mmCIF file of all heavy atoms in Angstrom:
data_model
loop_
_atom_site.group_PDB
_atom_site.id
_atom_site.type_symbol
_atom_site.label_atom_id
_atom_site.label_comp_id
_atom_site.label_asym_id
_atom_site.label_seq_id
_atom_site.Cartn_x
_atom_site.Cartn_y
_atom_site.Cartn_z
ATOM 1 N N PHE H 145 -9.548 13.354 -10.323
ATOM 2 C CA PHE H 145 -9.368 12.449 -9.387
ATOM 3 C C PHE H 145 -9.478 10.953 -9.848
ATOM 4 O O PHE H 145 -9.161 10.155 -9.032
ATOM 5 C CB PHE H 145 -10.451 12.608 -8.279
ATOM 6 C CG PHE H 145 -10.250 13.936 -7.428
ATOM 7 C CD1 PHE H 145 -11.335 14.599 -6.991
ATOM 8 C CD2 PHE H 145 -9.016 14.319 -7.064
ATOM 9 C CE1 PHE H 145 -11.205 15.797 -6.237
ATOM 10 C CE2 PHE H 145 -8.791 15.566 -6.368
ATOM 11 C CZ PHE H 145 -10.023 16.314 -5.837
ATOM 12 N N ALA H 146 -10.086 10.726 -11.009
ATOM 13 C CA ALA H 146 -10.315 9.348 -11.278
ATOM 14 C C ALA H 146 -9.705 8.971 -12.593
ATOM 15 O O ALA H 146 -10.441 8.427 -13.484
ATOM 16 C CB ALA H 146 -11.874 9.037 -11.280
ATOM 17 N N LEU H 299 -7.846 16.510 -0.127
ATOM 18 C CA LEU H 299 -6.535 16.435 -0.839
ATOM 19 C C LEU H 299 -6.800 16.405 -2.342
ATOM 20 O O LEU H 299 -7.491 15.532 -2.818
ATOM 21 C CB LEU H 299 -5.866 15.274 -0.510
ATOM 22 C CG LEU H 299 -5.305 15.215 1.100
ATOM 23 C CD1 LEU H 299 -5.035 13.779 1.421
ATOM 24 C CD2 LEU H 299 -4.250 16.123 1.246
ATOM 25 N N THR H 321 -13.194 13.367 2.598
ATOM 26 C CA THR H 321 -12.011 13.453 1.764
ATOM 27 C C THR H 321 -12.384 13.319 0.256
ATOM 28 O O THR H 321 -13.556 13.243 -0.083
ATOM 29 C CB THR H 321 -10.945 12.437 2.176
ATOM 30 O OG1 THR H 321 -9.696 12.814 1.552
ATOM 31 C CG2 THR H 321 -11.346 11.040 1.859
ATOM 32 N N THR H 322 -11.392 13.401 -0.554
ATOM 33 C CA THR H 322 -11.525 13.239 -1.933
ATOM 34 C C THR H 322 -11.117 11.800 -2.384
ATOM 35 O O THR H 322 -10.574 11.032 -1.531
ATOM 36 C CB THR H 322 -10.554 14.170 -2.716
ATOM 37 O OG1 THR H 322 -9.300 13.817 -2.434
ATOM 38 C CG2 THR H 322 -10.894 15.618 -2.397
ATOM 39 N N PRO H 323 -11.309 11.280 -3.629
ATOM 40 C CA PRO H 323 -10.705 10.037 -4.097
ATOM 41 C C PRO H 323 -9.205 9.906 -3.993
ATOM 42 O O PRO H 323 -8.792 8.805 -3.742
ATOM 43 C CB PRO H 323 -11.168 10.079 -5.510
ATOM 44 C CG PRO H 323 -12.487 10.902 -5.691
ATOM 45 C CD PRO H 323 -12.169 12.031 -4.611
ATOM 46 N N ILE H 324 -8.535 11.111 -4.046
ATOM 47 C CA ILE H 324 -7.110 10.934 -3.726
ATOM 48 C C ILE H 324 -6.810 10.666 -2.365
ATOM 49 O O ILE H 324 -5.869 9.853 -1.983
ATOM 50 C CB ILE H 324 -6.439 12.430 -4.098
ATOM 51 C CG1 ILE H 324 -6.442 12.589 -5.533
ATOM 52 C CG2 ILE H 324 -4.999 12.465 -3.518
ATOM 53 C CD1 ILE H 324 -5.525 11.701 -6.452
ATOM 54 N N GLY H 325 -7.594 11.218 -1.283
ATOM 55 C CA GLY H 325 -7.466 10.894 0.059
ATOM 56 C C GLY H 325 -7.746 9.458 0.322
ATOM 57 O O GLY H 325 -7.105 8.835 1.092
ATOM 58 N N ALA H 326 -8.754 8.952 -0.384
ATOM 59 C CA ALA H 326 -9.216 7.558 -0.029
ATOM 60 C C ALA H 326 -8.509 6.503 -0.874
ATOM 61 O O ALA H 326 -8.667 5.283 -0.639
ATOM 62 C CB ALA H 326 -10.757 7.546 -0.375
ATOM 63 N N GLU H 327 -7.769 6.906 -1.895
ATOM 64 C CA GLU H 327 -7.098 5.895 -2.713
ATOM 65 C C GLU H 327 -6.227 4.885 -1.940
ATOM 66 O O GLU H 327 -5.456 5.220 -1.126
ATOM 67 C CB GLU H 327 -6.063 6.692 -3.715
ATOM 68 C CG GLU H 327 -5.360 5.815 -4.643
ATOM 69 C CD GLU H 327 -4.471 6.579 -5.580
ATOM 70 O OE1 GLU H 327 -3.318 6.848 -5.190
ATOM 71 O OE2 GLU H 327 -4.934 6.862 -6.631
ATOM 72 N N ALA H 328 -6.473 3.618 -2.263
ATOM 73 C CA ALA H 328 -5.724 2.442 -1.801
ATOM 74 C C ALA H 328 -5.986 2.204 -0.292
ATOM 75 O O ALA H 328 -5.272 1.502 0.396
ATOM 76 C CB ALA H 328 -4.303 2.627 -2.019
ATOM 77 N N VAL H 339 -16.692 10.590 0.689
ATOM 78 C CA VAL H 339 -15.715 10.964 -0.403
ATOM 79 C C VAL H 339 -16.476 11.730 -1.393
ATOM 80 O O VAL H 339 -17.544 11.244 -1.888
ATOM 81 C CB VAL H 339 -15.075 9.696 -1.015
ATOM 82 C CG1 VAL H 339 -14.089 9.959 -2.012
ATOM 83 C CG2 VAL H 339 -14.464 8.741 0.118
ATOM 84 N N ALA H 340 -15.826 12.869 -1.740
ATOM 85 C CA ALA H 340 -16.576 13.678 -2.743
ATOM 86 C C ALA H 340 -15.442 14.392 -3.564
ATOM 87 O O ALA H 340 -14.278 14.518 -3.260
ATOM 88 C CB ALA H 340 -17.375 14.804 -2.089
ATOM 89 N N CYS H 341 -15.973 14.997 -4.686
ATOM 90 C CA CYS H 341 -15.020 15.520 -5.777
ATOM 91 C C CYS H 341 -15.063 17.001 -5.856
ATOM 92 O O CYS H 341 -14.240 17.520 -6.771
ATOM 93 C CB CYS H 341 -15.245 14.875 -7.177
ATOM 94 S SG CYS H 341 -14.989 13.123 -7.114
#
Side-chain angles (χ1 to χ4, degrees):
F145 290 147
L299 298 161
T321 189
T322 65
I324 290 290
E327 181 178 84
V339 180
C341 296

